[in-house]
Each structure stands twice: as C-alpha cells, then as structure tokens.
Amino acid sequence: MVDKRIDPEKTALSVGDVAKRSGIKVSTVHYYDAEGLITSWRNHGNQRRFSRDVLRRVALIKIAQRVGISLEEIRQALSVLPHHRTPSKSDWQALSNQWRISLDDQIGRLMKLRNQMDECIGCGCLSLGQCPLRNPGDIQAHD
Amino acid sequence: MVDKRIDPEKTALSVGDVAKRSGIKVSTVHYYDAEGLITSWRNHGNQRRFSRDVLRRVALIKIAQRVGISLEEIRQALSVLPHHRTPSKSDWQALSNQWRISLDDQIGRLMKLRNQMDECIGCGCLSLGQCPLRNPGDIQAHD
DNA sequence: CTACGACCTCAAGTTAACTTGAGGTCAAGG
DNA sequence: CCTTGACCTCAAGTTAACTTGAGGTCGTAG
C-alpha cells in the first residue's frame, strides 16, 4: 500500500504558522484545538502539527462568528466535514446556506424591533404586558 | 418651604415591588442600583426605596438591551434624564432616536455581511487579506 | 415567643470566548 | 556553553451581565 499523497510532515503547519496565517493568537489556536474545532497531531517533540485544511477551517469559524454563531454550533457544523481535506466549494456553499438562514432571522428580528420602536415613539407607553417593545412576542398592542 | 408633592414614602416602591412590576429579579435591581442605572434611598430600616419613575427607567433599559446597547452606554444615556420624574414622552423620543441610529447601523452591517456571503458563495476563496468576508472593511476583492 | 416573609451585604459563581502568566523543554546558532 | 525563539501545560484572569448562596436584621402575625 503506497500512500501517494505528499508527506504530511513536509507540509504540516506549526501552531505559530496557523496563528499567523489566520490572524489569530497562538492561545486561540490552542483553545480551538482543545474545543475540537480543529484537529492536530503531535511530532516527536510533542508539538502540535496541523494539516493545511485547518486554515480554511479557521476561516469558516471566523465568518460564522461574524454571523453571530456560537463556537459550539460552529463545532457541530464543521464536524460533518471530512478531516484532513480542505473544505470544498460545495462544503462552503452548504455551510453558508445554513448560516444565511441565521443571518436572515437576525435581520428580520432587528427590522421588527425597529418597526416596534417607530410605532412606540408616538405613544411611549412601554408597559410590561401590553407594549410589543416590552414583549418580544406577537401580542398586538396599542389598539 | 412647603413641598406640595405627594409624600414619597407613601408611593415608594420596595426592591420587590420594582422587580415584580418590571419582570426582573431582585438581584438585578440590586445590580442596577449598584451600577448607577437606577437610584434609590434608604428607609430607617436600611431598606431601599425607589420612586415610581424607576419603573419607566427599567423599561428603557430593557428596550435598549434589545437594541444591543451595553449597560454602560445605557447608564450614560439615562444619566441626562432628570431624577425622580418619570421620563416624558419627549425623553423617550430623544432616546429612541439615538438607539434607532444604532439599530440602523446593525441592520446595515448584517445586510452587508449577507451580501458578502452571497458574493463569496460563488468563489469560496475566504482568503485573509483579500476576501471581504474575512476583512470587515471596504477592501474591494473578487475583482 | 416563634415563624415567616421581606429586606440587607458580601462573596463567589455562571456563561462564552478568549487571554495572560508561570514554569518548563527543545533545537539551532554564535 | 549560552542565548534565543519556538514550542509545551496548567491555572487563573478578563469581560459583561447577571445569579446564587451564606449569614444576617426587621416587622408582623399567630
């Protein structure tokens, strides 16, 4: 059985490489490794080594965070991706569709809040139980 | 000098009153008092007493939080309101205009992020330094 | 008097996402 | 050999916004 792939040790990244190229701190790399968001192996000096796909993974993490998604949710979303292979374009498309839903939801919520504020500027009641601004549900108030 | 206002002790609210009527915990009332978001005085038993305007103040706090404004910023915004007088309609209008700006900003940011994600779905580059998704500035990428 | 409910203070805990600091190893270069 | 830079682990710290828990006082009702 001959493994025709390039020797991983030759292309492997150290923790400092990953940090620098991803724009995050070494401690953050440690943290993401510990939380299972990225994976590494150890060389004989017990130092972490990462395959290059980790760079793409960190990129996905950072974008998801901008969407407001928690690391735990991100970890779950990334866990279905294959390891040691750079996430493909279709992987990214599937993920970004998921996260797009979250983003649409947030935008919708903020716009609804804006509408409620506009409506409530006139009366200014702000009453608990009656004012939709105080009750993020669908209660009709200001009748 | 005759104070013609209603005796504050007769209309004063206890910490439990404020908590119940505002839908927050007693500990939160303590916390807001400690942080200077609301003010109280003590009776001879060293118990806090609040004037009724505090109910309106807590309402404003809760709405601002929904807009995503930090307590420190809320404290500053509320500090210009007169004490011991329920915030008026025009007070609420001034505040909500401020917070409306913040809300508009957030909505704009999320919509921009959504656009960037839509654009990046095609290429999936996600590169630090080139992809606007990885750089929340105005760098033009994907040229 | 006792029990209960409301109040008090002070300190520590929770949460998520990091970050810092202390104390150590290893490899390479001068 | 010493120095430097990169790595390691472990523990604690930071931030904001609460929340819990421990130990106490006071007033009222039975």
Side-chain angles (χ1 to χ4, degrees), chain B residues 9-137:
Chain B
E9 292 297 336
K10 285 279 171 65
T11 61
L13 303 168
S14 69
V15 74
D17 295 330
V18 174
K20 215 167 294 163
R21 293 176 63 169
S22 300
I24 62 177
K25 296 215 159 184
V26 165
S27 58
T28 305
V29 179
H30 287 168
Y31 179 71
Y32 289 171
D33 192 19
E35 294 295 317
L37 288 150
I38 56 179
T39 60
S40 63
W41 70 90
R42 299 302 174 114
N43 68 11
H44 91 275
N46 195 37
Q47 299 188 351
R48 289 175 180 80
R49 287 293 178 263
F50 301 89
S51 61
R52 306 179 73 83
D53 69 287
V54 156
L55 299 176
R56 177 53 59 96
R57 278 176 174 257
V58 173
L60 294 174
I61 292 166
K62 287 304 172 185
I63 288 157
Q65 284 184 315
R66 281 186 66 198
V67 179
I69 298 179
S70 69
L71 285 186
E72 176 53 30
E73 283 178 303
I74 295 168
R75 190 189 62 74
Q76 286 171 22
L78 294 187
S79 69
V80 303
L81 297 186
H83 289 287
H84 304 310
R85 195 208 77 195
T86 295
S88 67
K89 191 169 173 181
S90 65
D91 294 326
W92 159 237
Q93 280 176 358
L95 286 173
S96 58
N97 285 338
Q98 280 185 53
W99 299 337
R100 170 62 192 260
I101 291 167
S102 180
L103 201 43
D104 287 340
D105 187 46
Q106 280 177 71
I107 290 172
R109 285 226 210 96
L110 289 182
M111 293 183 88
K112 182 175 172 184
L113 176 55
R114 185 166 62 178
N115 292 340
Q116 288 171 343
M117 272 181 64
D118 287 344
E119 283 168 13
C120 209
I121 282 186
C123 73
C125 78
L126 302 182
S127 84
L128 188 64
Q130 292 196 32
C131 180
L133 255 185
R134 293 297 312 280
N135 303 280

Side-chain angles (χ1 to χ4, degrees), chain A residues 46-105:
Chain A
N46 195 36
Q47 300 190 351
R48 288 175 180 82
R49 287 296 180 261
F50 301 89
S51 60
R52 306 179 72 85
D53 69 285
V54 157
L55 299 176
R56 176 54 58 95
R57 279 177 174 257
V58 173
L60 294 173
I61 291 165
K62 287 304 172 183
I63 289 157
Q65 283 185 315
R66 281 185 65 198
V67 179
I69 298 179
S70 69
L71 285 185
E72 176 52 29
E73 282 179 304
I74 295 168
R75 188 188 64 74
Q76 286 172 24
L78 294 188
S79 69
V80 303
L81 298 187
H83 290 286
H84 304 311
R85 194 208 77 194
T86 297
S88 66
K89 193 167 170 181
S90 66
D91 293 327
W92 160 237
Q93 282 177 358
L95 286 174
S96 58
N97 285 337
Q98 280 185 53
W99 297 338
R100 171 63 191 262
I101 291 167
S102 180
L103 201 44
D104 287 341
D105 186 47

Side-chain angles (χ1 to χ4, degrees), chain A residues 86-134:
Chain A
T86 297
S88 66
K89 193 167 170 181
S90 66
D91 293 327
W92 160 237
Q93 282 177 358
L95 286 174
S96 58
N97 285 337
Q98 280 185 53
W99 297 338
R100 171 63 191 262
I101 291 167
S102 180
L103 201 44
D104 287 341
D105 186 47
Q106 281 177 71
I107 290 170
R109 286 227 209 92
L110 289 182
M111 292 183 90
K112 181 177 174 185
L113 177 56
R114 185 166 62 179
N115 291 342
Q116 288 171 344
M117 272 180 66
D118 287 345
E119 282 166 17
C120 210
I121 282 186
C123 71
C125 76
L126 302 182
S127 84
L128 187 64
Q130 293 197 30
C131 181
L133 258 183
R134 296 294 314 280

